[in-house]
Amino acid sequence: MTLSACGGGGDSGASDTVRVTLVNHVWTENIRKVIPQFEQETGLKVEVTQLGEDQLSDQYNVKLNAGSRDIDVMMYRPLQEGRLFAENGYLADLTDKAEGSADFDFADFQETPVGATSHEDKLVGVPIITEQQVLYYRKDLLEKSGFTAPPATLDELKAQATKIQADNPGVAGFVARTGKAAAVTQFSSFLYSFGGDFVDASGKAAVNTPAAKQAYAFYGGLLRENGPANVSTDMSWSEAMAIFTQGQAAFYPEANSLYKNATDPAKSKVSETVGFAPMPAGPAGSKPYNIPSWGLAVNESSENQDNAWKFIEWAAGKAQTLEQQKAGVPGARTSVWENPEGISTYPADMADAITVSLANGVGHDRPVVERVAQAREIVGQPIVDAITGGDAAASAETANEAFQKFLDDEAR
């Protein structure tokens, strides 16, 4: 598959072929269909390598560590491996290219996702797919229990979940991810809404603050008292979504990017009755995450960086971002959310909920560290302990001590 055969504009080993590595994703399927347009407009040729997430990680670990030059553009997860890649010098500085392109209109990108694709005040990636947490809920169950609107606060969430559960034997008031690592991302919005975060302003571990302890106890308590009977502590999104879409729960906090699992009649028994609401407010307000789940970067070792940028400039430009968003892939540009076309395919209440997330969102849904998987295991343990009825506050103290040691180790 091929933007203008401009050589490299300064790249000594510039080639008219741009080698792009992408992950299996609907964004990738959409962009591959229109790459011939890019090739025709520019005279460049695009070679796509498409891999599953695990394969992608394996290839990056091998090739980037070896300084390989056969990747020009790379699709990556800013919050999963972004910091590690940036610290290791794998990602080219795109600041001047992005800010210097009038057509690209870098100012159109939302500040929060851009923060996640930046490192030490340099832009090292361009966010292409965003996720925000919203509250999935059953409109019919709310109406049956006499509620005229979804919960605006976490206290209301607890009250409504309790009442609906009492009114509907066999239906849980609440379901969410419960796995130690898997739950961290969805729990994060509860943590922020209680006024906490994984680290404090000085970079020290902060999962033992009063706010964090409250958040752990609240999230775990909802699942213990209002969750499915005999709730397991290893559920990721797929298991929790299945419970919700089979009509077995009233409320479910989850990423907006997964909403079609609930609205597609072929997958969901509640497709006609599902509603979407903003993250209910805690003591610190409604603070859902607003994160870039995937971005595009240029391999620092590439000798074709100018043409690699041309591909990103096109693939993450306004026109392609709008087309992706119309196809159900949430973008990182402000303009696509302000454009009626950009939200025309979304349920109206989903679009409204996302608007709140964009305004109040926090730019990370997990600790921002190099070894993310290990960090999630540490800060996720109090979630499990709270669900199972353990001492959440004591667990948070233990987790904080372990997390601080982890942070100290990374800083060495």
Side-chain angles (χ1 to χ4, degrees):
M1 284 183 287
T2 324
L3 234 170
S4 89
C6 303
D11 294 335
S12 59
S15 165
D16 289 345
T17 297
V18 182
R19 294 160 299 184
V20 179
T21 300
L22 305 176
V23 76
N24 291 339
H25 194 286
V26 65
W27 184 93
T28 298
E29 300 303 330
N30 293 339
I31 208 71
R32 289 191 74 156
K33 292 174 186 173
V34 291
I35 280 177
Q37 297 175 17
F38 170 81
E39 293 176 324
Q40 187 173 10
E41 291 169 11
T42 64
L44 297 175
K45 181 173 177 56
V46 177
E47 285 184 1
V48 175
T49 299
Q50 184 173 335
L51 302 168
E53 286 190 32
D54 290 343
Q55 291 175 295
L56 188 80
S57 295
D58 290 344
Q59 179 164 116
Y60 287 162
N61 286 338
V62 172
K63 292 197 170 186
L64 297 179
N65 192 48
S68 175
R69 298 175 179 177
D70 62 0
I71 298 174
D72 298 318
V73 177
M74 45 197 283
M75 189 172 176
Y76 78 111
R77 297 169 294 185
L79 291 171
Q80 193 67 19
E81 58 250 343
R83 181 155 180 174
L84 176 66
F85 286 2
E87 291 280 355
N88 287 349
Y90 299 158
L91 308 180
D93 182 358
L94 303 177
T95 311
D96 290 344
K97 286 180 167 65
E99 293 180 349
S101 172
D103 289 342
F104 191 59
D105 189 10
F106 181 57
D108 184 39
F109 283 86
Q110 300 160 15
E111 183 178 349
T112 303
V114 166
T117 58
S118 300
H119 183 69
E120 297 179 348
D121 297 324
K122 295 177 181 177
L123 183 73
V124 293
V126 175
I128 53 171
I129 304 165
T130 62
E131 284 187 1
Q132 299 82 25
Q133 177 145 303
V134 298
L135 183 67
Y136 295 52
Y137 71 95
R138 289 275 302 281
K139 292 185 281 189
D140 56 328
L141 294 180
L142 264 70
E143 184 178 350
K144 179 181 174 183
S145 290
F147 298 114
T148 58
T153 68
L154 290 176
D155 286 343
E156 290 179 9
L157 172 61
K158 173 66 175 176
Q160 291 192 16
T162 301
K163 176 75 161 61
I164 291 171
Q165 184 168 289
D167 292 346
N168 300 272
V171 175
F174 180 82
V175 70
R177 302 185 193 187
T178 62
K180 182 164 55 175
V184 167
T185 50
Q186 309 321 115
F187 165 75
S188 71
S189 296
F190 289 79
L191 177 63
Y192 309 147
S193 297
F194 270 96
D197 205 330
F198 298 106
V199 299
D200 62 20
S202 65
K204 298 291 186 182
V207 295
N208 69 338
T209 62
K213 290 177 179 177
Q214 283 182 291
Y216 281 125
F218 185 85
Y219 186 90
L222 266 177
L223 283 158
R224 186 176 66 255
E225 298 165 9
N226 302 106
N230 303 312
V231 63
S232 71
T233 53
D234 60 359
M235 289 197 298
S236 187
W237 75 266
S238 54
E239 293 85 6
M241 178 69 79
I243 289 171
F244 182 79
T245 57
Q246 291 305 303
Q248 297 168 9
F251 294 107
Y252 173 40
E254 189 51 85
N256 61 330
S257 57
L258 299 170
Y259 84 90
K260 287 190 176 179
N261 289 279
T263 59
D264 182 351
K267 298 178 180 179
S268 173
K269 292 181 179 179
V270 300
S271 59
E272 297 299 317
T273 58
V274 62
F276 305 97
M279 174 71 193
S286 173
K287 299 284 186 182
Y289 63 72
N290 173 29
I291 57 122
S293 51
W294 291 94
L296 294 177
V298 173
N299 177 14
E300 174 63 19
S301 295
S302 166
E303 296 183 326
N304 202 21
Q305 292 189 19
D306 285 355
N307 285 335
W309 169 252
K310 287 185 174 72
F311 178 83
I312 293 177
E313 190 176 25
W314 169 78
K318 287 185 176 181
Q320 289 306 322
T321 302
L322 178 59
E323 291 306 310
Q324 291 277 5
Q325 179 135 325
K326 285 161 62 177
V329 181
R333 286 182 173 272
T334 302
S335 59
V336 297
W337 291 103
E338 294 177 343
N339 185 336
E341 261 193 281
I343 58 174
S344 62
T345 60
Y346 290 79
D349 55 354
M350 169 66 83
D352 292 342
I354 291 172
T355 299
V356 173
S357 297
L358 297 182
N360 304 332
V362 176
H364 55 281
D365 62 352
R366 66 203 76 182
V368 182
V369 294
E370 290 183 26
R371 293 172 292 153
V372 177
Q374 187 178 341
R376 288 174 72 157
E377 292 281 328
I378 295 171
V379 302
Q381 185 60 50
I383 298 173
V384 173
D385 291 338
I387 293 170
T388 56
D391 187 336
S395 182
E397 290 289 351
T398 302
N400 198 73
E401 185 177 343
F403 189 39
Q404 185 57 55
K405 183 177 185 302
F406 170 92
L407 294 172
D408 292 342
D409 289 344
E410 278 215 341
R412 290 194 180 105

